[in-house]
Amino acid sequence: MAGLGLVDLVDDTTYRVNVITAHMVAVPSSLDGMLHFSTEPVWAAAFLMKQLRDTNFKYPFQENKTPTQYGYKLIGEERFANQHTYSIMHSQGRMPSFSRFMEGKFGKFGTMPDRVKSLGYDLDSVMNGKADDIVVVDIGGGRGEMLLEVKAAYPHLKKENLVLQEFQPDRVNEDDLTIQHWDFKDDSPETVKGALVYSLTHIYHNLSDLEALRLMKKVADAMAPHSTMLIHEFAKNSTYGKMHATMITLYAGRIRSSREWKQLAALAGLEVTFEAYPVAGEGLVEMRKLPTANGAV
């Protein structure tokens, strides 16, 4: 478990718990998280060098052709050789555990409103929509935990102001949120036009650059001049090096730097208008529509 960062080495035979271990005890969902962070990544890592050697070091990976799928191919499990990692987990009955892990916000540092304000972001000025405005669209927002945090901080917001979009939406919070099905991986566009905020929490890090750009362009096409895209991701630094490697080997995704976010934004017709990359905890990147030379958007 030392290799996973759960304990600190004292000497050759002695370890002590650290803050990550303490967090696991405090947050029950972390046990489900450790199940996945000590199974899927270890499996993929075992076949990483084998795949690179066999493919003459072909990289970057495609999302259904990572070391995860390559390992299953080598052991003769052809049914998993071309499936997305999430589909494999679903087929093996591990998605309920993964969903509990995600719901518990393992690794989150405070509520969304408090966290972004601590980074110097003026969320109050963004949440200035009228009663009939769609204020926040949370794309891939699970069961809507983040939107409920927003609603608690801004109690004037109603169900109609808060839209949760998911591929397989769980309607447990449908009394408080507007819940929609959206599979952003297919060819369908973002149907909510002109919302104040389009929020994506730990979505882009699961996607390759091409898939991330494809999603970003869909959201950009739906944005109005007053709209913002808020991206909640960990920073690309030594703290999250293991997570970066995990995203690569499981999904062909990646954690991105300021330069990489700005490159994606420019290709999607957006510009980065706020960014914060804390050493530990979720960072924030805000994007807005890129003005044209005559001032239009």
Side-chain angles (χ1 to χ4, degrees):
M1 301 298 277
L4 295 175
L6 304 184
V7 293
D8 293 332
L9 178 66
V10 177
D11 54 44
D12 289 343
T13 60
T14 307
Y15 298 86
R16 64 170 169 242
V17 300
N18 60 21
V19 293
I20 297 178
T21 317
H23 182 74
M24 289 178 62
V25 174
V27 182
S29 73
S30 62
L31 298 178
D32 293 292
M34 285 303 103
L35 168 66
H36 296 283
F37 280 111
S38 59
T39 51
E40 280 85 9
V42 172
W43 169 269
F47 297 98
L48 171 60
M49 187 55 66
K50 175 65 173 170
Q51 178 175 354
L52 289 172
R53 287 174 175 168
D54 290 351
T55 60
N56 195 27
F57 289 85
K58 184 178 180 181
Y59 183 82
F61 303 127
Q62 300 176 38
E63 64 178 6
N64 289 2
K65 297 292 183 182
T66 73
T68 299
Q69 290 81 18
Y70 200 71
Y72 286 110
K73 177 181 178 180
L74 291 180
I75 66 170
E77 287 277 8
E78 292 294 334
R79 58 183 174 147
F80 298 141
N82 296 297
Q83 287 190 31
H84 190 279
T85 299
Y86 282 139
S87 296
I88 295 173
M89 292 164 59
H90 176 75
S91 299
Q92 295 175 341
R94 297 206 302 276
M95 283 307 290
S97 172
F98 186 77
S99 296
R100 285 193 296 271
F101 155 56
M102 293 301 293
E103 180 184 350
K105 303 284 199 278
F106 177 65
K108 287 185 70 68
F109 291 70
T111 67
M112 189 279 263
D114 288 343
R115 177 174 53 79
V116 301
K117 289 180 181 180
S118 73
L119 296 173
Y121 186 74
D122 187 2
L123 185 63
D124 292 343
S125 67
V126 176
M127 298 292 182
N128 62 357
K130 299 177 182 178
D132 57 348
D133 286 334
I134 293 180
V135 179
V136 183
V137 179
D138 190 12
I139 300 169
R143 301 173 72 180
E145 292 85 3
M146 186 276 284
L147 287 177
L148 293 178
E149 293 173 355
V150 171
K151 190 171 185 179
Y154 301 94
H156 68 281
L157 296 178
K158 307 301 181 184
K159 173 179 178 177
E160 295 74 20
N161 307 133
L162 303 169
V163 177
L164 170 65
Q165 293 182 333
E166 260 293 349
F167 171 54
Q168 294 178 322
D170 186 329
R171 300 190 175 275
V172 64
N173 291 313
E174 65 180 350
D175 290 340
D176 297 300
L177 308 172
T178 300
I179 299 177
Q180 298 178 350
H181 162 80
W182 186 38
D183 180 6
F184 62 74
K185 298 284 286 182
D186 65 19
D187 294 330
S188 61
E190 169 58 78
T191 57
V192 179
K193 309 295 184 182
L196 294 179
V197 177
Y198 295 86
S199 182
L200 299 101
T201 303
H202 301 313
I203 301 298
Y204 285 117
H205 74 186
N206 287 337
L207 303 176
S208 67
D209 286 339
L210 288 176
E211 288 297 312
L213 178 59
R214 187 166 171 262
L215 172 57
M216 189 175 290
K217 185 66 169 60
K218 287 185 176 185
V219 179
D221 288 345
M223 292 171 65
H226 61 260
S227 301
T228 64
M229 183 189 303
L230 292 184
I231 300 169
H232 310 267
E233 294 281 2
F234 295 120
K236 190 176 183 180
N237 58 30
S238 59
T239 304
Y240 296 107
K242 292 178 182 177
M243 182 176 291
H244 180 60
T246 297
M247 295 303 105
I248 291 172
T249 56
L250 295 187
Y251 313 113
R254 59 193 297 110
I255 295 177
R256 294 177 172 87
S257 65
S258 172
R259 179 173 177 268
E260 290 167 322
W261 285 122
K262 289 174 180 175
Q263 289 175 327
L264 285 173
L267 291 170
L270 303 171
E271 61 178 341
V272 173
T273 48
F274 180 92
E275 54 187 343
Y277 305 100
V279 174
E282 294 158 301
L284 182 68
V285 178
E286 180 195 70
M287 296 183 185
R288 291 179 179 267
K289 298 278 275 188
L290 189 65
T292 61
N294 62 6
V297 176

